[in-house]
Amino acid sequence: MSALASTVPWQPCEKPDWPVVQVKHKFNTALGKMLQPQPASEADIEAPYIKSMHVQWHGVSFEDLPCMWASPADITQLNLQVGDLMVCEGGEVGRGALVLNDPPPFCIFQNALHRVRASNANDVRYLNYCLKQASEAGWFEVLCNRATIAHFTVEKFRELRLHLPSGESQRLIANYLDRETARIDGLIAEKERMLALLEEKRAALISRVVTRGLDPNALLKPSGQEWLGEIPAHWEVQPVKYLAVVGNGSTPSVENADYWDDEGYPWLNSSVVNVSPVVSASRFVTETALRECHLPKVQPPAVLVGITGQGKTRGMASVLVFEATINQHLAFIKPRSQDLDTDFLCYLLGHAYAFLRSDSDGAGSTKGAITCEQLANMKIPVPPGAEQTEICTRIRQSLDVSKPLRSEVQGSIDLLTERRSALITAAVTGQIPLEEMTG
């Protein structure tokens, strides 16, 4: 590595003719507008605006935009146009994407975003690839101090140093990466479609057997529940509260050191429902917290359900296999007896996911909340105990058969993703000769 490269630790460039420059000398950056909920003058209008959630690495979305009040001067200064590079100031700091489609009329951007336009012959696409490489190298972790709330401030962005070839070379590299990453993204998309088909097949199997059982010739009867349809005639339909105890937890004050201990009692947040079963905890509370914060001790076998939020965890369920307590964004369902198998219940709740989501939209004190009362009153099909066990065995056997294929496809996606990252790094650090990028 040349001595020049050491001045930019995240971009170990070996090209001595690529000078180190600060972003502010080659690109024009502007931070967006602070949210204005009320008009400040008669000239103000309600303008649509984008925020960080609308900017992902793959592009900028203009769907379902919120509005804020803005002056004519704001709209002139903070307008958006095709070719602008938008970069996140907070959240996943440094995440960037190009505006590829015409924005809505009068569209502006919030102060969680930077807008970047090139000066002279420079190319914002090249800068975006550099930001992607810096992000994957972990440089924003250092630059923005993620130990607290991370912010990629105007000063940090404008003073960011990078190796910058000539404008012509920037365009050549950006064109090359546009072509090659699009090809790789196409391959990844094909693999992801295959995973989606496998997931659809898995979900269809589960839905069929938890609502109709294993005997295709079984007599059916109406369940009385729209989300459930017909069920085998010998199955019962009962409210969850007749079969199990339902409750939720809370979060002890993070500022109270007496409540938290690395060797204490396992405490779980809603992220655990993304994988079933739940087998470990990352945080622990003390006996003092259990007592003073009235936290439940949930003993297995039990099922945990995400009950709040707009993300995918609301309505998701997972089997708990060790004793733990939970926060207020989770509910537990603890069967009273062996009449309800927790694996069967978890699979059934997976089938009921869409119903739980729609039934809870706008409910509770938090928009989009499932209450413990709703879960307790939810009527579910109850096959005989032995049949529940047989159904769960059939599902597990099917999953075991498809697991190797899923792992193979996911492995291919991981390799392609690594290839994409390595390609970007090689291109923006001068490891690929420019003459190889033509054609």
Side-chain angles (χ1 to χ4, degrees):
M1 183 184 300
S2 65
L4 180 64
S6 64
T7 63
V8 186
W10 57 271
Q11 193 185 26
C13 181
E14 299 180 2
K15 292 284 189 180
D17 58 333
W18 288 14
V20 175
V21 301
Q22 289 182 308
V23 166
K24 63 183 177 183
H25 295 310
K26 299 295 181 179
F27 300 90
N28 297 318
T29 64
L31 188 65
K33 178 178 172 61
M34 184 178 295
L35 186 63
Q36 182 183 330
Q38 299 294 333
S41 73
E42 292 182 356
D44 287 1
I45 66 169
E46 284 191 288
Y49 70 93
I50 62 170
K51 48 188 179 179
S52 57
M53 66 174 288
H54 297 107
V55 176
Q56 303 298 325
W57 286 112
H58 60 268
V60 177
S61 171
F62 293 110
E63 295 184 2
D64 300 321
L65 296 185
C67 290
M68 73 163 89
W69 289 94
S71 68
D74 291 331
I75 294 171
T76 298
Q77 295 169 5
L78 303 175
N79 68 89
L80 296 174
Q81 61 189 37
V82 173
D84 285 343
L85 172 62
M86 308 307 300
V87 180
C88 293
E89 188 269 353
E92 186 186 351
V93 296
R95 185 177 70 230
L98 292 168
V99 175
L100 301 176
N101 302 307
D102 288 326
F106 308 117
C107 187
I108 58 177
F109 55 104
Q110 194 184 15
N111 63 339
L113 292 170
H114 301 276
R115 183 195 64 198
V116 187
R117 291 173 177 169
S119 59
N120 299 323
N122 296 291
D123 195 317
V124 292
R125 295 177 301 156
Y126 178 84
L127 175 61
N128 193 35
Y129 283 119
C130 288
L131 294 175
K132 179 68 171 175
Q133 194 260 329
S135 176
E136 292 178 347
W139 184 242
F140 290 118
E141 300 278 351
V142 177
L143 185 65
C144 299
N145 185 18
R146 288 184 187 266
T148 58
I149 299 176
H151 289 285
F152 192 28
T153 64
V154 172
E155 293 75 18
K156 289 175 181 177
F157 193 8
R158 291 177 177 172
E159 294 173 5
L160 182 69
R161 299 163 66 86
L162 70 155
H163 289 273
L164 197 69
S166 68
E168 182 180 354
S169 295
Q170 291 175 47
R171 285 190 296 277
L172 184 65
I173 294 170
N175 289 339
Y176 170 77
L177 288 175
D178 284 350
R179 291 194 307 271
E180 293 302 310
T181 57
R183 183 181 62 83
I184 293 173
D185 288 344
L187 295 173
I188 291 174
E190 290 179 7
K191 300 293 184 180
E192 289 177 338
R193 282 193 292 271
M194 187 178 297
L195 280 182
L197 289 173
L198 289 171
E199 175 60 23
E200 288 178 11
K201 184 177 180 181
R202 182 195 74 87
L205 167 70
I206 292 174
S207 294
R208 185 177 71 253
V209 298
V210 298
T211 60
R212 295 296 181 90
L214 300 176
D215 181 2
N217 299 315
L219 295 176
L220 302 177
K221 68 179 180 181
S223 67
Q225 307 301 307
E226 185 176 351
W227 66 273
L228 192 54
E230 292 186 319
I231 61 173
H234 65 287
W235 289 13
E236 297 181 1
V237 176
Q238 297 187 42
V240 169
K241 63 185 177 183
Y242 290 176
L243 303 162
V245 177
V246 181
N248 72 326
S250 66
T251 300
S253 171
V254 295
E255 298 177 356
N256 191 333
D258 292 336
Y259 288 166
W260 302 92
D261 190 331
D262 290 342
E263 298 181 356
Y265 193 85
W267 176 87
L268 304 171
N269 62 31
S270 59
S271 66
V272 299
V273 296
N274 290 307
V275 178
S276 185
V278 182
V279 297
S280 64
S282 59
R283 300 198 67 181
F284 302 85
V285 295
T286 63
E287 289 294 330
T288 301
L290 289 169
R291 182 176 63 256
E292 294 184 0
C293 300
H294 308 290
L295 290 168
K297 288 186 175 181
V298 185
Q299 298 179 339
V303 173
L304 303 181
V305 184
I307 58 174
T308 64
Q310 296 303 303
K312 68 177 184 177
T313 56
R314 176 168 55 97
M316 292 185 67
S318 184
V319 174
L320 178 67
V321 297
F322 66 101
E323 186 174 329
T325 190
I326 58 177
N327 75 0
Q328 69 275 21
H329 303 296
L330 284 172
F332 69 85
I333 303 176
K334 169 67 179 173
R336 301 179 190 275
S337 69
Q338 295 182 348
D339 291 338
L340 181 61
D341 184 290
T342 50
D343 285 334
F344 175 82
L345 176 61
C346 191
Y347 290 134
L348 179 66
L349 290 173
H351 169 71
Y353 177 76
F355 164 74
L356 288 171
R357 298 276 299 189
S358 63
D359 195 46
S360 62
D361 282 337
S365 59
T366 301
K367 183 179 180 181
I370 302 168
T371 66
C372 289
E373 183 180 8
Q374 284 174 301
L375 287 175
N377 290 326
M378 181 181 178
K379 292 183 178 180
I380 62 171
V382 187
E387 192 170 350
Q388 291 182 44
T389 301
E390 291 175 4
I391 289 171
C392 293
T393 299
R394 176 70 63 84
I395 291 173
R396 283 191 289 269
Q397 288 173 344
S398 177
L399 296 180
D400 287 343
V401 169
S402 64
K403 186 175 181 179
L405 179 56
R406 292 176 60 86
S407 296
E408 181 181 346
V409 175
Q410 185 60 56
S412 297
I413 291 175
D414 294 341
L415 288 174
L416 286 167
T417 302
E418 291 174 9
R419 166 61 180 159
R420 190 184 195 278
S421 177
L423 184 69
I424 292 172
T425 296
V428 301
T429 56
Q431 298 176 44
I432 303 175
L434 293 178
E435 53 270 21
E436 293 185 12
M437 298 187 190
T438 59

